[in-house]
Amino acid sequence: MNNLLIVGSVAFDAVETPFGKTDKIIGGAASYISLAGAFFGVTTNVVAVVGGDFPQEYLDILKSRGVNTEGIKIVKDGKSMFWSGRYNKNMNERETLVTELNVFADFDPQVPKKYQNADVLMLGNIHPDIQMKVLERLERRPKFIVMDTMNFWMDTTPTQLDKAISMVDVLTINDEEARQLSGEYSLVNAAKKIISKGLRYLIIKKGDNGALLFSNDGKMFFAPALPMNNVSDPTGAGDSFAGGFCGYITKKDKTDWETVKSAVIAGSVMGSFCCERFGSENLQLINKQMFDLRVKQFEELTSFKF
């Protein structure tokens, strides 16, 4: 069975939207990525850190969906990372109310021996130096490496970020970040500049406007966002996208253009499921029949004759 390795944050989130609010629930990029990735039946291993306050119940939820949690270090006398945010009525903008890094501030990822045979590596949105440290600690390079980043690292660590990008196959960012990283307004021109840093593929996420995929040989693909009847909480949608993308690639064990295009659709499907309930609740419930039905909806959304 093919292996997916995820390095990132496992944390607490507390979310408020126009449709409700939560207390502390499972959060962190690695939680969403792993739940979405494990859906595809691949070996899914996580490297993260939490405090002694992180309930065993939450770790059991990850395990119940096929996520291996042995690589999640528990600092018994520490507190888990915590983020709290509030969304406004259009759900595209959010206000961060609280960010407490706690044990994640000293995150020093150690890759267990049993995780060293990763076929696909997903580097969550963490400091570029830590992303590169993970690569240095692997005994062999995975077949396919995907990384996420954000404008904070573009502002504070641009040199390290460029170096990290040059070491991976795929970068996933949103449209605002693509423009900042490239200095170009046109996303096509932005993609050309960013891919020239050493990437095979670039994914530019556009929220409820879909996602764009670019290749280093000039190909381009657009995946629409599925019009949703119900959007309760967009937190984690981008990470669920990444998990679906990586899980599909890991399952297929191929990285050609057509496979990567399908992986973008798989990611879009997982992101759409995530939005329908608070936190990762929906990712804990979906099954193959639900997934296949939604893939068909995506196919019908973009199929036409002219």
PDB file of all heavy atoms in Angstrom, residues 91-110:
ATOM      1  N   MET A  91     -18.693  34.983   4.323  1.00  0.00           N
ATOM      2  CA  MET A  91     -17.907  33.778   4.601  1.00  0.00           C
ATOM      3  C   MET A  91     -16.560  33.749   3.893  1.00  0.00           C
ATOM      4  O   MET A  91     -15.826  32.766   3.986  1.00  0.00           O
ATOM      5  CB  MET A  91     -18.704  32.523   4.232  1.00  0.00           C
ATOM      6  CG  MET A  91     -20.026  32.377   4.964  1.00  0.00           C
ATOM      7  SD  MET A  91     -19.813  31.948   6.699  1.00  0.00           S
ATOM      8  CE  MET A  91     -19.630  30.187   6.576  1.00  0.00           C
ATOM      9  N   ASN A  92     -16.205  34.791   3.165  1.00  0.00           N
ATOM     10  CA  ASN A  92     -14.914  34.837   2.488  1.00  0.00           C
ATOM     11  C   ASN A  92     -13.864  35.571   3.308  1.00  0.00           C
ATOM     12  O   ASN A  92     -12.680  35.510   2.995  1.00  0.00           O
ATOM     13  CB  ASN A  92     -15.039  35.517   1.113  1.00  0.00           C
ATOM     14  CG  ASN A  92     -15.728  34.634   0.099  1.00  0.00           C
ATOM     15  OD1 ASN A  92     -15.509  33.421   0.068  1.00  0.00           O
ATOM     16  ND2 ASN A  92     -16.582  35.221  -0.729  1.00  0.00           N
ATOM     17  N   GLU A  93     -14.301  36.262   4.333  1.00  0.00           N
ATOM     18  CA  GLU A  93     -13.381  37.001   5.181  1.00  0.00           C
ATOM     19  C   GLU A  93     -13.561  36.559   6.622  1.00  0.00           C
ATOM     20  O   GLU A  93     -14.680  36.299   7.066  1.00  0.00           O
ATOM     21  CB  GLU A  93     -13.636  38.511   5.068  1.00  0.00           C
ATOM     22  CG  GLU A  93     -13.432  39.071   3.671  1.00  0.00           C
ATOM     23  CD  GLU A  93     -13.806  40.543   3.591  1.00  0.00           C
ATOM     24  OE1 GLU A  93     -14.148  41.117   4.645  1.00  0.00           O
ATOM     25  OE2 GLU A  93     -13.754  41.100   2.488  1.00  0.00           O
ATOM     26  N   ARG A  94     -12.453  36.460   7.331  1.00  0.00           N
ATOM     27  CA  ARG A  94     -12.553  36.048   8.718  1.00  0.00           C
ATOM     28  C   ARG A  94     -11.633  36.909   9.575  1.00  0.00           C
ATOM     29  O   ARG A  94     -10.627  37.448   9.100  1.00  0.00           O
ATOM     30  CB  ARG A  94     -12.198  34.578   8.892  1.00  0.00           C
ATOM     31  CG  ARG A  94     -10.721  34.241   8.712  1.00  0.00           C
ATOM     32  CD  ARG A  94     -10.499  32.755   8.842  1.00  0.00           C
ATOM     33  NE  ARG A  94      -9.078  32.412   8.766  1.00  0.00           N
ATOM     34  CZ  ARG A  94      -8.617  31.180   8.643  1.00  0.00           C
ATOM     35  NH1 ARG A  94      -9.458  30.168   8.580  1.00  0.00           N
ATOM     36  NH2 ARG A  94      -7.316  30.950   8.594  1.00  0.00           N
ATOM     37  N   GLU A  95     -11.988  37.009  10.815  1.00  0.00           N
ATOM     38  CA  GLU A  95     -11.208  37.751  11.797  1.00  0.00           C
ATOM     39  C   GLU A  95     -10.609  36.755  12.785  1.00  0.00           C
ATOM     40  O   GLU A  95     -11.323  35.958  13.390  1.00  0.00           O
ATOM     41  CB  GLU A  95     -12.118  38.735  12.543  1.00  0.00           C
ATOM     42  CG  GLU A  95     -11.437  39.478  13.676  1.00  0.00           C
ATOM     43  CD  GLU A  95     -12.429  40.275  14.504  1.00  0.00           C
ATOM     44  OE1 GLU A  95     -13.647  40.208  14.209  1.00  0.00           O
ATOM     45  OE2 GLU A  95     -11.993  40.932  15.465  1.00  0.00           O
ATOM     46  N   THR A  96      -9.298  36.791  12.917  1.00  0.00           N
ATOM     47  CA  THR A  96      -8.648  35.937  13.905  1.00  0.00           C
ATOM     48  C   THR A  96      -8.791  36.585  15.279  1.00  0.00           C
ATOM     49  O   THR A  96      -8.395  37.727  15.477  1.00  0.00           O
ATOM     50  CB  THR A  96      -7.167  35.730  13.571  1.00  0.00           C
ATOM     51  OG1 THR A  96      -7.067  34.954  12.365  1.00  0.00           O
ATOM     52  CG2 THR A  96      -6.446  34.989  14.691  1.00  0.00           C
ATOM     53  N   LEU A  97      -9.358  35.854  16.202  1.00  0.00           N
ATOM     54  CA  LEU A  97      -9.575  36.367  17.550  1.00  0.00           C
ATOM     55  C   LEU A  97      -8.452  35.976  18.495  1.00  0.00           C
ATOM     56  O   LEU A  97      -8.025  36.778  19.336  1.00  0.00           O
ATOM     57  CB  LEU A  97     -10.913  35.835  18.095  1.00  0.00           C
ATOM     58  CG  LEU A  97     -12.150  36.141  17.250  1.00  0.00           C
ATOM     59  CD1 LEU A  97     -13.380  35.481  17.869  1.00  0.00           C
ATOM     60  CD2 LEU A  97     -12.352  37.646  17.111  1.00  0.00           C
ATOM     61  N   VAL A  98      -7.970  34.745  18.356  1.00  0.00           N
ATOM     62  CA  VAL A  98      -6.916  34.236  19.233  1.00  0.00           C
ATOM     63  C   VAL A  98      -5.991  33.318  18.435  1.00  0.00           C
ATOM     64  O   VAL A  98      -6.464  32.493  17.651  1.00  0.00           O
ATOM     65  CB  VAL A  98      -7.500  33.428  20.418  1.00  0.00           C
ATOM     66  CG1 VAL A  98      -6.373  32.880  21.301  1.00  0.00           C
ATOM     67  CG2 VAL A  98      -8.450  34.272  21.242  1.00  0.00           C
ATOM     68  N   THR A  99      -4.681  33.495  18.618  1.00  0.00           N
ATOM     69  CA  THR A  99      -3.709  32.529  18.124  1.00  0.00           C
ATOM     70  C   THR A  99      -2.711  32.255  19.240  1.00  0.00           C
ATOM     71  O   THR A  99      -1.981  33.161  19.649  1.00  0.00           O
ATOM     72  CB  THR A  99      -2.950  33.027  16.880  1.00  0.00           C
ATOM     73  OG1 THR A  99      -3.879  33.297  15.827  1.00  0.00           O
ATOM     74  CG2 THR A  99      -1.950  31.982  16.400  1.00  0.00           C
ATOM     75  N   GLU A 100      -2.702  31.042  19.737  1.00  0.00           N
ATOM     76  CA  GLU A 100      -1.759  30.635  20.777  1.00  0.00           C
ATOM     77  C   GLU A 100      -0.957  29.447  20.250  1.00  0.00           C
ATOM     78  O   GLU A 100      -1.480  28.342  20.112  1.00  0.00           O
ATOM     79  CB  GLU A 100      -2.501  30.243  22.054  1.00  0.00           C
ATOM     80  CG  GLU A 100      -3.309  31.379  22.679  1.00  0.00           C
ATOM     81  CD  GLU A 100      -4.142  30.918  23.867  1.00  0.00           C
ATOM     82  OE1 GLU A 100      -4.135  29.699  24.171  1.00  0.00           O
ATOM     83  OE2 GLU A 100      -4.811  31.773  24.475  1.00  0.00           O
ATOM     84  N   LEU A 101       0.312  29.671  19.924  1.00  0.00           N
ATOM     85  CA  LEU A 101       1.132  28.599  19.368  1.00  0.00           C
ATOM     86  C   LEU A 101       1.424  27.511  20.396  1.00  0.00           C
ATOM     87  O   LEU A 101       1.456  26.331  20.079  1.00  0.00           O
ATOM     88  CB  LEU A 101       2.450  29.172  18.827  1.00  0.00           C
ATOM     89  CG  LEU A 101       2.330  30.090  17.616  1.00  0.00           C
ATOM     90  CD1 LEU A 101       3.704  30.601  17.216  1.00  0.00           C
ATOM     91  CD2 LEU A 101       1.672  29.371  16.445  1.00  0.00           C
ATOM     92  N   ASN A 102       1.685  27.921  21.635  1.00  0.00           N
ATOM     93  CA  ASN A 102       1.965  26.966  22.723  1.00  0.00           C
ATOM     94  C   ASN A 102       3.048  25.971  22.299  1.00  0.00           C
ATOM     95  O   ASN A 102       4.098  26.384  21.835  1.00  0.00           O
ATOM     96  CB  ASN A 102       0.669  26.302  23.170  1.00  0.00           C
ATOM     97  CG  ASN A 102      -0.321  27.325  23.740  1.00  0.00           C
ATOM     98  OD1 ASN A 102       0.075  28.302  24.363  1.00  0.00           O
ATOM     99  ND2 ASN A 102      -1.607  27.088  23.545  1.00  0.00           N
ATOM    100  N   VAL A 103       2.821  24.654  22.403  1.00  0.00           N
ATOM    101  CA  VAL A 103       3.886  23.692  22.110  1.00  0.00           C
ATOM    102  C   VAL A 103       4.319  23.730  20.643  1.00  0.00           C
ATOM    103  O   VAL A 103       5.438  23.324  20.309  1.00  0.00           O
ATOM    104  CB  VAL A 103       3.472  22.252  22.488  1.00  0.00           C
ATOM    105  CG1 VAL A 103       3.254  22.130  23.986  1.00  0.00           C
ATOM    106  CG2 VAL A 103       2.217  21.818  21.725  1.00  0.00           C
ATOM    107  N   PHE A 104       3.449  24.236  19.775  1.00  0.00           N
ATOM    108  CA  PHE A 104       3.800  24.288  18.357  1.00  0.00           C
ATOM    109  C   PHE A 104       4.900  25.311  18.086  1.00  0.00           C
ATOM    110  O   PHE A 104       5.578  25.236  17.060  1.00  0.00           O
ATOM    111  CB  PHE A 104       2.558  24.618  17.529  1.00  0.00           C
ATOM    112  CG  PHE A 104       2.726  24.366  16.056  1.00  0.00           C
ATOM    113  CD1 PHE A 104       2.828  23.071  15.571  1.00  0.00           C
ATOM    114  CD2 PHE A 104       2.781  25.413  15.147  1.00  0.00           C
ATOM    115  CE1 PHE A 104       2.989  22.824  14.219  1.00  0.00           C
ATOM    116  CE2 PHE A 104       2.940  25.178  13.794  1.00  0.00           C
ATOM    117  CZ  PHE A 104       3.042  23.886  13.324  1.00  0.00           C
ATOM    118  N   ALA A 105       5.110  26.243  19.009  1.00  0.00           N
ATOM    119  CA  ALA A 105       6.164  27.252  18.835  1.00  0.00           C
ATOM    120  C   ALA A 105       7.537  26.606  18.787  1.00  0.00           C
ATOM    121  O   ALA A 105       8.468  27.157  18.185  1.00  0.00           O
ATOM    122  CB  ALA A 105       6.095  28.277  19.964  1.00  0.00           C
ATOM    123  N   ASP A 106       7.692  25.444  19.411  1.00  0.00           N
ATOM    124  CA  ASP A 106       8.982  24.747  19.442  1.00  0.00           C
ATOM    125  C   ASP A 106       8.936  23.454  18.629  1.00  0.00           C
ATOM    126  O   ASP A 106       9.703  22.515  18.891  1.00  0.00           O
ATOM    127  CB  ASP A 106       9.369  24.434  20.898  1.00  0.00           C
ATOM    128  CG  ASP A 106       9.505  25.700  21.737  1.00  0.00           C
ATOM    129  OD1 ASP A 106      10.161  26.649  21.276  1.00  0.00           O
ATOM    130  OD2 ASP A 106       8.943  25.732  22.850  1.00  0.00           O
ATOM    131  N   PHE A 107       8.064  23.404  17.653  1.00  0.00           N
ATOM    132  CA  PHE A 107       7.896  22.197  16.838  1.00  0.00           C
ATOM    133  C   PHE A 107       9.198  21.842  16.125  1.00  0.00           C
ATOM    134  O   PHE A 107       9.735  22.628  15.344  1.00  0.00           O
ATOM    135  CB  PHE A 107       6.783  22.438  15.820  1.00  0.00           C
ATOM    136  CG  PHE A 107       6.443  21.247  14.961  1.00  0.00           C
ATOM    137  CD1 PHE A 107       6.408  19.970  15.486  1.00  0.00           C
ATOM    138  CD2 PHE A 107       6.115  21.427  13.615  1.00  0.00           C
ATOM    139  CE1 PHE A 107       6.064  18.872  14.700  1.00  0.00           C
ATOM    140  CE2 PHE A 107       5.766  20.351  12.818  1.00  0.00           C
ATOM    141  CZ  PHE A 107       5.748  19.069  13.367  1.00  0.00           C
ATOM    142  N   ASP A 108       9.712  20.657  16.418  1.00  0.00           N
ATOM    143  CA  ASP A 108      10.935  20.148  15.798  1.00  0.00           C
ATOM    144  C   ASP A 108      10.616  18.753  15.272  1.00  0.00           C
ATOM    145  O   ASP A 108      10.836  17.756  15.962  1.00  0.00           O
ATOM    146  CB  ASP A 108      12.071  20.109  16.819  1.00  0.00           C
ATOM    147  CG  ASP A 108      13.394  19.673  16.205  1.00  0.00           C
ATOM    148  OD1 ASP A 108      13.587  19.901  14.995  1.00  0.00           O
ATOM    149  OD2 ASP A 108      14.207  19.079  16.944  1.00  0.00           O
ATOM    150  N   PRO A 109      10.070  18.664  14.061  1.00  0.00           N
ATOM    151  CA  PRO A 109       9.527  17.391  13.577  1.00  0.00           C
ATOM    152  C   PRO A 109      10.568  16.278  13.458  1.00  0.00           C
ATOM    153  O   PRO A 109      11.584  16.436  12.785  1.00  0.00           O
ATOM    154  CB  PRO A 109       8.934  17.753  12.212  1.00  0.00           C
ATOM    155  CG  PRO A 109       9.625  19.011  11.807  1.00  0.00           C
ATOM    156  CD  PRO A 109       9.930  19.738  13.069  1.00  0.00           C
ATOM    157  N   GLN A 110      10.296  15.182  14.136  1.00  0.00           N
ATOM    158  CA  GLN A 110      11.113  13.977  14.036  1.00  0.00           C
ATOM    159  C   GLN A 110      10.314  12.933  13.259  1.00  0.00           C
ATOM    160  O   GLN A 110       9.201  12.598  13.650  1.00  0.00           O
ATOM    161  CB  GLN A 110      11.456  13.456  15.431  1.00  0.00           C
ATOM    162  CG  GLN A 110      12.159  14.477  16.331  1.00  0.00           C
ATOM    163  CD  GLN A 110      13.543  14.836  15.851  1.00  0.00           C
ATOM    164  OE1 GLN A 110      14.254  14.004  15.274  1.00  0.00           O
ATOM    165  NE2 GLN A 110      13.934  16.095  16.064  1.00  0.00           N
TER     166      GLN A 110
END
